[in-house]
Amino acid sequence: MRQTRSSQTGARRMTSAARGTLAALMVLIAGLGATAATSEGDQTIIKAHGVSTFGELKYEEGFDHFDYVNPDAPKGGEFSTWAFGNFDSLSPYILKGNAAALSTVFFDTLMTGGLDEPDAMYGLVAHTVEYPESREWVIFHMRPEAEFSDGTQVTAEDVVFSYEALRDKGQPSYRVLFRDFKSVEALDKHRVKFTFNPDGALRELLLSAAGLPIFSKAYYETRDFGESTLEPPLGSGAYMLEEVDAGNSVTYKRRDDYWAKDLNVNVGQNNFDRIKVEYFADYTTAFEAFKGGAYAYREEFQSLIWATAYNFPAIKQGHVKVETLPDGRPAGTQGWWFNLRREKFSDPRVRKAISMAFNFQWSNESLFYGLYERTDSFWENSDLQAEGMPSEAELALLEPLRDNLPEEVFTEPAFTPAKSKSGDVADRRVLRRASRLLDAAGWTVGDRGIRTNEAGEPLSVEILNDSASFERIINPYVENLKRLGVDVRYVRVDSAQLQEREKKFDFDITTRRYAMSMTPGIELRGMFGSDAATAQGSNNIAGVSNPAVDSLIKTIENAESREDLNVAVSALDRVLRAMHIWVPQWYKPSHNIAYFDMFERPYDDTPPMMGLGEISIWWYNPQKHQALIDAGALRR
């Protein structure tokens, strides 16, 4: 994510001798993967089959396949799972509509990453990447054999069109991402050049360009990219649409004629003939459907169901496998997020007090069966999270920003939520401390027991949610807030309403979960950057707008080493926690999964670092499937 100085500045200060040494190192270090390193003016030009954030690549040029796959995995069968709510679109990159799950599967990118490296990408549509050591520009050399599903070539003009379509009509996060893109131009039919702002996040921008989805320019000459649609889109990816039942299910079919099916980055992957997603309006109905065989794979996120309901006959008979597998990624950043755009939340003491009313310890023991741990950090379960008092390296970043930071950043250990020592849902000791914070912030208890400000306005708070299963968690929290004198109400809406209200920032408090990167960077602009705070539909759900946060994000983007990155991320984590922009919830550093015993995978108990890869690297066993049918466990 963040770092201390820009790679461009470092490059400009480098002597000619140092550049020569660096070029030699780039050729000699086996893991770097450069196929050529030449000089152009005073810069070293690197040509390689892949690129990573800090230069190191695990896989050398010409590698056969990723280590974690089974290169001989058979093809066939169907992988089916579930999603919550509904959908009305197959356009996942625009603001309009609610896109179907996995609808990004239609589109290839110039390069792609693996599950065992957090910050590296290898050639997909592009076979070679060419860039100077400063990373101020990059040229992607594209494969002439790359084709869309209608047989037309994927060209540099398509890449240029894709960039312009996302910039002009895509989700607001793309405009934030493209802030430092100066130009994108087709040099010829199969070479496309991206040029970046020299003061931008050069370390990140190259990889961001490499990961952009590619659309057909010709296809959209008769269609509006910015309008949602259920028409099957034209892409160059491994899957195409087979069937869609709007709001209920969507099925993707593997393309036998996929142009890249034998590329090393795809060997042992895309093994299922079909991928189907069934939609359900609530978690309980979805679980019952799984028990009945309506779909075959489920990751369980409900502690109550996991602790009490995974004892149905199909499990006892061995037809359904139930497993807990480790998750090596940072825990999901999940919590109730304040809408800082609203004046009543402008004082951090108010936000902190509201946060203290959530009694995690009671909830964990009474509702979660002790399965979870409390989230403290935005990068929980990783070495990126802030610990204790700031280090000297962190202080070097934080001191120049002191005027825009809470004082507690410098005077107190990294914030952790209040812990209840009471067995009751209402811990009076914690609530008294929260009450004093509200008093100090000018919200005092009136005659009706409701807190009001000097103008007589009540402290009214609405907690928005779309899941009936969350009510058992929210309701005790609501009661504690009422004990504080907060005029609070819980409002449940359907998933479509929730998405629309969140896009328009029409809420007080809402629940959101982010999957945080092990190598954070430019995506933080969309989550916490000022430019995204007022952009409807952005990922900055809380509306964070703070120059110190913006500065730390820029430092993260320009980090030149993993060590620098960790320091900068820890500093940002410390700052965000001190700002009290959310009520952190809980996490479990593992995956709870259940599936009908007809799938196999290339690992036993330890998944790749970046996830289970169940849809991409697992495969189907027809003999096991038939055995389930013969036993009456599945209908087909």
Side-chain angles (χ1 to χ4, degrees), residues 36-349:
T38 60
S39 292
E40 182 178 288
D42 63 349
Q43 291 221 59
T44 298
I45 305 301
I46 302 159
K47 279 191 174 183
H49 66 293
V51 64
S52 74
T53 302
F54 299 115
E56 303 86 358
L57 289 174
K58 175 180 178 179
Y59 295 97
E60 297 182 5
E61 184 178 9
F63 69 96
D64 294 328
H65 54 77
F66 292 127
D67 289 345
Y68 54 82
V69 305
N70 172 10
D72 300 316
K75 309 293 185 183
E78 178 181 284
F79 182 95
S80 58
T81 186
W82 77 287
F84 177 69
N86 54 48
F87 67 95
D88 58 9
S89 171
L90 291 172
S91 304
Y93 301 106
I94 63 173
L95 193 57
K96 290 185 178 180
N98 298 316
L102 305 180
S103 53
T104 58
V105 75
F106 302 117
F107 307 104
D108 273 335
T109 53
L110 289 164
M111 307 185 82
T112 187
L115 293 175
D116 55 353
E117 284 181 284
D119 54 9
M121 300 184 78
Y122 298 89
L124 181 54
V125 171
H127 59 79
T128 302
V129 59
E130 177 182 357
Y131 58 95
E133 60 188 18
S134 68
R135 300 195 180 196
E136 291 183 19
W137 53 263
V138 59
I139 296 173
F140 294 99
H141 298 256
M142 299 167 60
R143 301 180 195 270
E145 65 269 29
E147 292 182 343
F148 291 107
S149 58
D150 66 350
T152 59
Q153 267 192 331
V154 180
T155 69
E157 288 290 349
D158 294 311
V159 178
V160 174
F161 166 78
S162 301
Y163 160 73
E164 293 174 346
L166 291 170
R167 179 196 62 194
D168 299 337
K169 297 185 177 182
Q171 294 173 356
S173 57
Y174 284 108
R175 286 188 284 281
V176 176
L177 171 66
F178 295 152
R179 184 179 65 199
D180 290 324
F181 281 53
K182 288 181 63 177
S183 64
V184 181
E185 55 184 322
L187 301 181
D188 55 35
K189 191 173 184 179
H190 294 115
R191 288 191 306 147
V192 61
K193 182 177 182 179
F194 290 74
T195 304
F196 309 118
N197 180 350
D199 296 323
L202 298 174
R203 174 178 63 83
E204 286 289 316
L205 292 172
L206 192 160
L207 278 82
S208 296
L212 294 180
I214 303 174
F215 314 116
S216 166
K217 179 180 180 180
Y219 177 82
Y220 283 102
E221 285 179 350
T222 57
R223 297 166 178 84
D224 187 346
F225 181 84
E227 292 297 324
S228 65
T229 178
L230 286 172
E231 178 186 0
L234 177 65
S236 62
Y239 286 83
M240 60 191 302
L241 184 70
E242 178 174 79
E243 184 178 9
V244 61
D245 181 4
N248 297 314
S249 68
V250 59
T251 305
Y252 307 100
K253 180 180 180 180
R254 185 169 56 84
R255 293 174 49 202
D256 291 332
D257 61 347
Y258 176 43
W259 70 273
K261 62 183 178 181
D262 296 323
L263 279 186
N264 52 7
V265 293
N266 285 325
V267 169
Q269 304 198 65
N270 305 319
N271 301 317
F272 296 105
D273 282 347
R274 290 174 180 81
I275 300 172
K276 185 172 185 179
V277 183
E278 299 274 4
Y279 274 77
F280 297 89
D282 65 81
Y283 291 94
T284 302
T285 302
F287 176 65
E288 292 300 321
F290 173 68
K291 290 166 58 177
Y295 59 95
Y297 178 94
R298 177 180 176 88
E299 182 166 3
E300 186 56 68
F301 298 103
Q302 296 291 314
S303 57
L304 174 64
I305 294 176
W306 185 254
T308 64
Y310 278 85
N311 55 5
F312 51 91
I315 294 175
K316 296 177 180 178
Q317 295 162 2
H319 302 318
V320 170
K321 300 185 73 171
V322 178
E323 298 179 304
T324 296
L325 299 175
D327 186 355
R329 302 167 300 173
T333 302
Q334 178 175 307
W336 287 290
W337 298 77
F338 294 103
N339 187 351
L340 304 184
R341 304 167 190 86
R342 302 203 161 168
E343 179 62 27
K344 59 192 167 189
F345 296 135
S346 61
D347 192 320
R349 293 172 295 186

